Amino acid sequence: MDTPASAAAIDVKAVQIPYLCIGAVLIVISILLGLLKLPVIAHTQSEEDPNRRAWHYRHLVFGVIGIFAYVGGEVAIGSHIVSYLHLPDVMGLSPKVAGDKVAYYWGGAMVGRFLGAYLLNKFNPGRLLAFNSLGAVVLVLISVVSTGEIAMWSLLAVGLMNSIMFATIFTLAVAGLGRHTEEASGLLNVGIVGGALVPLLFGLVADASTLRWAFFLPVLCYAYIMWYGLKGHKQAEA
């Protein structure tokens, strides 16, 4: 009979290889993105008021919340895919097999980044961000109301929708900030704390209700990002 320690070791090994693959893929992405010409959103000239700070710009503040929501939603889903696919009414997969499926989630994000780099040069960044966010909302909702392979693949496909979100939110948030851009970049990077807090809240909701209900939390995150792409990124002083 397996002891708790041996069972834990098996669980770790089940996801070890996929995450090592993810790490390798991210290194490749970093190299390729360094060689790729990314879209540039022109900055407008900002007023040189010595008392104004970066956080006085509403579209930046909303952007920080957008980064918080994006990283939180992405990590919350990615962290619970194995448990979700293990559910009997989803796929009933073993931890090892479910762990292998996680690669499709992050792989979709990788493919989408290259496709997004092209599309962002052809379409309005805010509208493309809103489109991807809407796609993420629809896919998560399809997953939570369905079973079997539909529930699995619709959730894994959210990775493709995630692909352009970080870079697009970041670029829209610093647009027009001029000399405040450096300070704004620091504030936006603080927003990644959502990757720690949202998954924690996700777990609390799952414990209080069900894992399926917890996925409505990422839906709220993506709904906010959709609003940011349509309205929230427009420049106006707070």
Side-chain angles (χ1 to χ4, degrees), residues 139-171:
L139 287 169
V140 174
L141 291 178
I142 289 174
S143 183
V144 298
V145 300
S146 60
T147 59
E149 291 195 356
I150 294 177
M152 178 180 71
W153 290 113
S154 57
L155 188 66
L156 293 175
V158 175
L160 181 63
M161 299 295 105
N162 286 334
S163 58
I164 67 163
M165 290 188 185
F166 187 95
T168 308
I169 295 171
F170 197 102
T171 307

Side-chain angles (χ1 to χ4, degrees), residues 18-19 22 78 81-82 85 97-107 156:
Y19 278 99
I22 291 168
I81 288 176
V82 172
L85 299 185
V97 176
D100 292 339
K101 298 294 185 183
V102 176
Y104 288 100
Y105 179 72
W106 300 110
L156 293 175

Side-chain angles (χ1 to χ4, degrees), residues 81-218:
I81 288 176
V82 172
S83 299
Y84 186 68
L85 299 185
H86 181 64
L87 294 176
D89 60 343
V90 179
M91 291 296 290
L93 300 179
S94 68
K96 182 182 186 306
V97 176
D100 292 339
K101 298 294 185 183
V102 176
Y104 288 100
Y105 179 72
W106 300 110
M110 178 190 69
V111 173
R113 279 178 173 83
F114 294 112
L115 179 60
Y118 170 78
L119 294 176
L120 284 167
N121 284 295
K122 302 294 182 181
F123 299 98
N124 178 279
R127 291 180 181 177
L128 192 59
L129 176 64
F131 176 82
N132 274 39
S133 303
L134 177 60
V137 168
V138 171
L139 287 169
V140 174
L141 291 178
I142 289 174
S143 183
V144 298
V145 300
S146 60
T147 59
E149 291 195 356
I150 294 177
M152 178 180 71
W153 290 113
S154 57
L155 188 66
L156 293 175
V158 175
L160 181 63
M161 299 295 105
N162 286 334
S163 58
I164 67 163
M165 290 188 185
F166 187 95
T168 308
I169 295 171
F170 197 102
T171 307
L172 291 173
V174 300
L177 295 188
R179 65 186 177 88
H180 300 293
T181 301
E182 184 176 346
E183 183 180 24
S185 298
L187 293 173
L188 287 164
N189 283 318
V190 172
I192 66 174
V193 72
L197 299 181
V198 175
L200 177 61
L201 183 56
F202 185 104
L204 293 175
V205 174
D207 290 340
S209 54
T210 66
L211 188 57
R212 284 182 181 271
W213 273 105
F215 278 103
F216 282 97
L217 184 58

Side-chain angles (χ1 to χ4, degrees), residues 22-45:
I22 291 168
V25 167
L26 290 176
I27 292 174
V28 174
I29 291 174
S30 299
I31 295 172
L32 292 177
L33 287 179
L35 302 173
L36 201 61
K37 182 180 179 181
L38 296 176
V40 176
I41 298 177
H43 295 304
T44 59
Q45 185 66 34

